[in-house]
Amino acid sequence: MKKLKYGLIILFWILVLGILFSGYYHKRINNLDTVKELDINSELVQDLYETIVPNNNSYILSQLYSNAELTNEYKLNVAIMNYVKKNPTSDPSADNVINYLSADDVLDSAKEIFGDDVSLINQSFMFNINHDYCGYNYNEEKNRYEPFEGCGDMMGKYFYRKLLNAKEQGNQIILQEQSFYVYENLGTDEIYIYDNYDQDKMLDFVQSKDTAISGVNENDYIDKGSIYEYIFQKENDRYIFKELKKVE
């Protein structure tokens, strides 16, 4: 009789644990599989996208599209752009502009974008994507970044980009973009149009003095460009950038 009683108790707890595990597993699967389409023009989507690709500076974008791991220079540029956006007095066009940035503030800005464990090395760099400035010199003694002028963009390259869609899946937001790359052979009239920066496929070749790389008709090629996914993951009530991957 005791054996039967103990057997029933064990069976009862096995059933309880099975139900609890089944509910947890079902909930977890549903959370992973649930996909919510997002408006690409929403403030959240645009803010995430513009943080990672603030403008079409080809020198900086080439580091985004061509590297499996983001370069230190790219992370510094994006961190500074993010900081300036949130602190208008750091904008070079502001009336009461502050002509330097604390390295600690730049690091905090990078953590907002890439996560608290971001690896960032202080360094001087050129071709900053912040308008009106060529780059920043790092002043080690004062632990701050001091801007300088005079570079402009890197000529001979241009990226055309179009945001296709956005979705929320589990704890991630995924933005899908289609883009193509234009390269000008400097000193000639030759313009090469590729499906991506890696030049996997040539879409067209143009030889004309009347065509500039920034004047190529986007509608003629954008649908033939490569498709990328920007993956953001929610951590500590904010979305941080995890990776960019080419899917087509």
Side-chain angles (χ1 to χ4, degrees), residues 56-60 62-63 127 151-159 181-182 184 186 197 213:
N56 253 343
N57 185 293
S58 61
Y59 177 75
I60 301 303
S62 63
Q63 297 183 44
F127 294 108
C151 293
D153 194 5
M154 175 176 279
M155 300 181 64
K157 299 180 179 180
Y158 199 84
F159 293 87
Y181 168 69
V182 180
E184 179 182 7
L186 297 179
Y197 184 67
I213 58 173

Side-chain angles (χ1 to χ4, degrees), residues 7 24 52 95 122-125 139 141 174 216 222 245:
Y24 169 79
I52 298 302
D95 294 333
N122 290 318
Q123 68 170 88
S124 299
F125 58 92
N139 187 323
E141 181 180 349
I174 302 172
V216 170
I222 191 64
K245 64 179 182 179

Side-chain angles (χ1 to χ4, degrees), residues 147-211:
F148 58 91
E149 302 174 353
C151 293
D153 194 5
M154 175 176 279
M155 300 181 64
K157 299 180 179 180
Y158 199 84
F159 293 87
Y160 288 83
R161 301 176 288 109
K162 178 182 179 181
L163 189 58
L164 297 177
N165 57 66
K167 62 184 178 182
E168 181 180 356
Q169 184 171 0
N171 66 343
Q172 292 186 336
I173 287 181
I174 302 172
L175 312 183
Q176 198 169 78
E177 169 202 83
Q178 192 156 27
S179 65
F180 67 95
Y181 168 69
V182 180
Y183 167 75
E184 179 182 7
N185 191 0
L186 297 179
T188 72
D189 300 328
E190 300 173 351
I191 296 176
Y192 299 85
I193 303 172
Y194 295 94
D195 61 338
N196 55 56
Y197 184 67
D198 295 327
Q199 303 180 13
D200 291 333
K201 180 181 179 181
M202 183 186 292
L203 302 179
D204 204 356
F205 168 76
V206 180
Q207 190 164 17
S208 172
K209 293 181 180 180
D210 300 326
T211 302

Side-chain angles (χ1 to χ4, degrees), residues 17-36:
L17 292 174
I19 292 171
L20 291 174
F21 178 79
S22 176
Y24 169 79
Y25 181 77
H26 182 70
K27 181 179 179 181
R28 181 172 175 83
I29 291 298
N30 283 344
N31 285 341
L32 290 175
D33 290 344
T34 300
V35 176
K36 177 183 177 182

Side-chain angles (χ1 to χ4, degrees), residues 82-136:
N82 180 61
Y83 181 81
V84 170
K85 181 179 179 180
K86 295 182 177 181
N87 297 272
T89 56
S90 299
D91 191 308
S93 63
D95 294 333
N96 55 339
V97 60
I98 299 174
N99 288 319
Y100 60 85
L101 302 175
S102 162
D104 293 334
D105 288 338
V106 173
L107 176 58
D108 288 340
S109 180
K111 289 180 179 180
E112 288 181 6
I113 301 168
F114 304 105
D116 293 336
D117 59 349
V118 63
S119 174
L120 197 68
I121 301 172
N122 290 318
Q123 68 170 88
S124 299
F125 58 92
M126 298 175 63
F127 294 108
N128 173 250
I129 48 184
N130 187 359
H131 63 80
D132 291 346
Y133 288 153
C134 168
Y136 284 82

